[in-house]
Structure formats: C-alpha cells, structure tokens
Amino acid sequence: MTARRTIAITGASAGIGAALARVCAAKGYDLILIARREAPLNALAAEVEGAHGIKAHVITADLAEPDASQKLVAAVAAKGLTVDGLINNAGFSNTKGFVTTPPEAQAAMLRVMLTVPVELSRAWMPGMQERGWGRILNVASMAGFLQATGGDTLYGPIKSFMIRFSQGLWIENRGKGVHVTALCPGYTYTEFHDVNGSRDQVSKAYPKWMWLSAERVAQEGWDAVEADKPRIIPGKRYRVLATISKLMPDRIGLNTAAKHAKALERI
Ligand SMILES: NC(=O)c1ccc[n+]([C@@H]2O[C@H](COP(=O)([O-])OP(=O)(O)OC[C@H]3O[C@@H](n4cnc5c(N)ncnc54)[C@H](OP(=O)(O)O)[C@@H]3O)[C@@H](O)[C@H]2O)c1
C-alpha cells in the first residue's frame, strides 16, 4: 500500500466492528472508530495504534438520532479527515414482536441499519470515485436470505435491503476502483444476543458448530471487499443454507421461519 488510507467503521465498540478494526489496522489502514460508548472505542484505538503504528480517531455518535449522518460527516470533516473506506456495521435487533416493540425502537433500527448506511455511502462515495479508490463493506446477515424473521420482523427485510443495496452499488462502481461488498454472517459470538436479550434461547436452540467467531467473520469480510466480491457468506454451512433458502418454496420457508421464531420464543 502506498498512501495511508482511512477506513470509517460504525459500531466499532464491540463484536464484528471491533474485529474489523483489528483486521484493517493490521493491514496498515488508519481508522475512524464510531459508536455510542467512548471507553471501549478509546481502549480499541490505543490497542491498534500500539500494535500496528496506525492512527485511530474516535468519534462518539448515536446513529439512531435523525440527523446522525449529517453530524458524523461534519465531525469527520472538522477533523480534516478523508474517508477512503466505510464499514456500515452498527446494528441491533428487536425480538419482541412487531406490535409489542415501541415505534421509537423500530425507527431507531431503521435509522441505524438502513438510513445511515445509505446516507454515509452517499456522502463519502463520490470522493472515493474521484480518487479512484474506495471500499464499502456493508454488514448484512444470513437473515437477509430468509423468507421471514418472525418476531424480529424488521431485521430480515433490513438485511435483504442491505444485500441488494450493496449489489446495486457494486454494479455502479465497476471499473472505478471502488469495491462494495455485503458481508452476510450467520450466528456469530458477539454482544448482539446479550443486547437483544435472547442469549439463553439462541444458546439452547443452536449447537456450537453453528456459531462463528467475530474474528473469522471480519477477516473473510475484509478479504472479500479487497477482492471486489459483491457478497460474502462466511462458512460453508451457511453458504449451503443460503442456497437452500433461495430454492425453497415460500410456504415451506415461512413454516421453517415460524418454527425458528417459536424455538426462540419470539412469537
Ligand atoms: N452476532 C450475530 O450473530 C450477527 C449475525 C449476522 C449479522 N450481524 C450483524 O453484525 C453487525 C454487528 O453486530 P455484532 O454482532 O457485532 O453486535 P454487537 O457486539 O452488539 O455490536 C454492535 C455495535 O453496534 C453499535 N451500535 C448499536 N446501536 C448503535 C447506535 N444507536 N449508534 C451507534 N452505534 C450503535 C454498538 O455500539 P454502542 O453500543 O457503543 O453504540 C456496537 O459497537 C450488526 O449489523 C448485526 O446485525 C450479527
């Protein structure tokens, strides 16, 4: 790598985002680490700067706020930083059912996981195209390939959107030096299921072999965006599952999704 490039990562305070920060730092990229919790971001920044001699900038932001993207873009500009790569990773889920989830929680989910990724891509992609180099990694999910995610009703459709959105951007950026990839992990050990309160249910329902490490997901995701792949599903077992879901008639897919939602006590 010739010039030092800077990668902005949302949701870098934990899980897959923190693992991606370590992968990018090891490759020599400078970082902009974004999330609400400042302490883990500062600790991660000190760790990767010490280990890899790169610069890691910390910006705290609640991406559920209606003007979050505008504020973030302004904060990055105020620091005089150029964003060469963007990892849209911040996310969470609401597993209590559609009508029992407060509307504000649903709005927050749509903003953090759908609106903000679109807005940040729109803000920073033109510069990437002008400079002839860019990386956008959108952390979607295996859930985006399923017919439905009952009880966590918005999650699957948001992730389907992120897969299709990434693929559309991949087409638009061909030959421009800007790579766009949707990363679609299955169950991954992070704080995600502690935050949504389903750790006990998912641990009971799904055996250890179904679980991926955040480190593996991050490494495969970053390797895929460097290689300009429009989509990556870490783990053969999940690639098989995605193919089966695609071929499955809707009725069978919906019945399977309903069983899954019941096993997780979501419906
Ligand atoms: N774990 C899985 O099984 C799995 C599987 C497939 C896809 N994914 C996807 O992977 C991505 C990362 O999740 P994870 O598993 O690494 O979960 P995690 O360990 O809970 O990390 C989520 C990250 O998102 C940030 N975040 C959440 N709400 C935010 C907000 N309002 N503003 C700013 N940042 C916010 C959190 O930071 P703060 O709390 O500090 O703000 C945290 O850094 C998500 O998009 C998720 O949907 C996860």
Side-chain angles (χ1 to χ4, degrees), residues 9-20 34-41 59-65 68 88-93 108-109 111-113 138-143 155 158-159 162 183-196 199 211-212 214 217 238:
I9 308 175
T10 70
S13 62
I16 296 168
L20 276 159
I34 303 148
R36 290 168 301 184
R37 288 171 290 169
E38 193 169 16
L41 291 181
I59 298 182
T60 53
D62 183 349
L63 300 177
E65 286 177 3
N88 284 308
N89 162 78
F92 61 96
S93 74
M109 201 170 164
R111 282 199 201 102
V112 172
M113 296 164 74
N138 290 321
V139 182
S141 170
M142 259 304 295
Y155 189 78
I158 288 172
K159 295 305 193 181
M162 288 305 291
L183 169 59
C184 310
Y187 285 111
T188 307
Y189 287 119
T190 66
E191 294 178 8
F192 188 86
H193 297 97
D194 304 308
V195 174
N196 75 16
R199 173 67 58 206
W211 290 81
L212 301 161
V217 168
Y238 283 111

Side-chain angles (χ1 to χ4, degrees), residues 84-221:
D84 300 295
L86 166 65
I87 301 179
N88 284 308
N89 162 78
F92 61 96
S93 74
N94 295 305
T95 57
K96 307 278 181 272
F98 187 70
V99 295
T100 40
T101 302
E104 316 78 70
Q106 290 167 336
M109 201 170 164
L110 288 163
R111 282 199 201 102
V112 172
M113 296 164 74
L114 200 152
T115 308
V116 165
V118 170
E119 290 176 343
L120 294 182
S121 303
R122 180 64 186 83
W124 288 325
M125 185 175 280
M128 296 179 198
Q129 290 180 343
E130 274 160 35
R131 293 185 295 275
W133 195 98
R135 301 286 182 264
I136 295 194
L137 182 62
N138 290 321
V139 182
S141 170
M142 259 304 295
F145 297 113
L146 305 178
Q147 275 82 353
T149 46
D152 196 359
T153 325
L154 293 179
Y155 189 78
I158 288 172
K159 295 305 193 181
S160 298
F161 173 93
M162 288 305 291
I163 295 168
R164 296 302 182 208
F165 171 56
S166 306
Q167 294 183 164
L169 290 181
W170 183 85
I171 290 172
E172 282 191 45
N173 281 284
R174 283 175 96 169
K176 296 191 174 130
V178 179
H179 301 180
V180 184
T181 301
L183 169 59
C184 310
Y187 285 111
T188 307
Y189 287 119
T190 66
E191 294 178 8
F192 188 86
H193 297 97
D194 304 308
V195 174
N196 75 16
S198 69
R199 173 67 58 206
D200 287 349
Q201 291 90 329
V202 289
S203 300
K204 259 187 250 155
Y206 297 104
K208 280 209 168 87
W209 62 263
M210 285 195 72
W211 290 81
L212 301 161
S213 73
E215 290 70 27
R216 174 180 178 180
V217 168
Q219 189 65 56
E220 290 196 26

Side-chain angles (χ1 to χ4, degrees), residues 22 42 52 58 70 73 84 141 156-157 171 197 209 228 231 258 265-266:
R22 293 187 178 99
N42 283 337
H52 303 291
V58 166
Q70 292 78 1
V73 170
D84 300 295
S141 170
I171 290 172
W209 62 263
D228 201 16
R231 192 185 83 183
E265 299 165 30
R266 290 179 183 172

